[in-house]
Amino acid sequence: MFHCIVIDDENLARERITSFVEQQSNWLIDGQAGEYKEAESLLLKHRPDVCFMDINIIGGSGIELAGKLAKSLDCHWVFTTASSDYALQAFDIEATDYLLKPFENSRLAAVLQKVEKLKSSTVKTCKNILAVKSVGAVEFVNVQDIIWIKGSANYVELHCENRMLLHRETLSKLETQLDSQQFIRVHRSAMVNVDKINSLSSELGRFSLLHLNNGDEVKIGQGHKASLFEALGVDS
């Protein structure tokens, strides 16, 4: 089953795309929104296969939102707009398609077929071992032993039970190499191994801190709460 979210500040535009997608076999609409913050929350919560995104949405820019989330979501961005002015910006963030309004249903059908084909031909190979280089040596680290990962410029800190190793890789790149069901982004600069979480604690009535089984504490970023709590089965 393929999943879709529709973002547009015009209700009729959202309903038109939603109605068409819902009629297609193997496709589900996970949500729709016309406002920037609501759209961001929906995308982080559902992590859809495709997002139909208008350029001008309430409270911000669809291009800006897609660019912000492009590295953390495996989502095909399809921009829907009445203007061709933003096409170069859209394809700078590797948009799957750019539909100029008004467009025919045949264009929508072609986009869905393209996404289905791209998704079915892409098989992600997750790393089980990381080769961590140090002066004069290479240490092979089993990812199951990693409790959490902190990003620091072009390096990451791999926090294990009784030690920390520095690995030359960006957090965003490493995120694409690890199993997304096991390692979840909880902050713009941190990922955690969900099997190593002991508990959550709250501040002012809101869960904001993860307690890990090596005694470390990791702050939960506001923009990552929805996807984290869904993975943990927690009502935020």
Side-chain angles (χ1 to χ4, degrees):
M1 189 66 70
F2 298 94
H3 296 262
C4 176
I5 281 178
V6 182
I7 310 299
D8 198 300
D9 64 347
E10 296 181 1
N11 184 58
L12 286 177
R14 293 198 307 270
E15 291 298 336
R16 182 256 173 123
I17 296 174
T18 296
S19 177
F20 180 82
V21 174
E22 286 180 334
Q23 294 176 40
Q24 312 308 306
S25 59
N26 298 322
W27 279 92
L28 285 176
I29 293 289
D30 289 328
Q32 53 174 289
E35 188 270 332
Y36 187 100
K37 288 295 184 183
E38 182 185 1
E40 183 177 13
S41 295
L42 277 176
L43 287 162
L44 288 170
K45 178 181 180 180
H46 295 288
R47 310 180 80 83
D49 296 296
V50 62
C51 175
F52 288 96
M53 178 80 80
D54 191 11
I55 300 294
N56 297 310
I57 56 178
I58 300 168
S61 159
I63 288 277
E64 178 188 324
L65 178 57
K68 178 181 178 181
L69 300 179
K71 290 183 179 180
S72 58
L73 296 183
D74 182 18
C75 178
H76 289 273
W77 306 102
V78 178
F79 291 97
T80 58
T81 176
S83 172
S84 61
D85 294 345
Y86 303 93
L88 289 178
Q89 289 176 259
F91 289 110
D92 278 345
I93 58 173
E94 300 181 347
T96 298
D97 215 326
Y98 192 95
L99 306 185
L100 282 174
K101 297 177 180 179
F103 47 82
E104 301 294 329
N105 282 348
S106 59
R107 289 288 286 120
L108 291 175
V111 167
L112 298 183
Q113 290 170 9
K114 181 191 294 188
V115 172
E116 289 179 10
K117 184 176 180 179
L118 290 170
K119 284 286 186 180
S120 62
S121 65
T122 302
V123 178
K124 180 180 178 180
T125 302
C126 300
K127 287 191 173 182
N128 295 315
I129 301 291
L130 295 181
V132 180
K133 298 179 181 179
S134 58
V135 179
V138 176
E139 182 173 354
F140 296 99
V141 178
N142 191 320
V143 298
Q144 302 292 337
D145 296 332
I146 300 171
I147 295 172
W148 71 286
I149 305 169
K150 179 180 180 180
S152 181
N154 292 323
Y155 287 84
V156 291
E157 298 175 2
L158 306 177
H159 291 263
C160 301
E161 184 63 36
N162 296 308
R163 59 182 181 149
M164 184 276 287
L165 297 92
L166 203 60
H167 180 43
R168 185 174 178 83
E169 187 63 274
T170 65
L171 185 65
S172 294
K173 180 65 178 295
L174 187 57
E175 185 177 19
T176 67
Q177 299 170 356
L178 298 176
D179 184 351
S180 61
Q181 300 300 310
Q182 181 179 12
F183 286 90
I184 294 184
R185 192 76 164 256
V186 299
H187 191 273
R188 60 184 175 84
S189 61
M191 282 191 296
V192 300
N193 183 339
V194 294
D195 294 334
K196 309 293 186 180
I197 298 173
N198 269 351
S199 61
L200 291 163
S201 64
S202 61
E203 186 177 66
L204 299 177
R206 296 182 179 180
F207 291 122
S208 58
L209 202 63
L210 285 169
H211 301 272
L212 307 178
N213 63 11
N214 67 338
D216 287 349
E217 297 177 344
V218 178
K219 186 176 181 180
I220 305 169
Q222 185 64 35
H224 298 279
K225 284 186 176 181
S227 56
L228 172 64
F229 291 168
E230 182 182 24
L232 296 177
V234 174
D235 186 357
S236 60

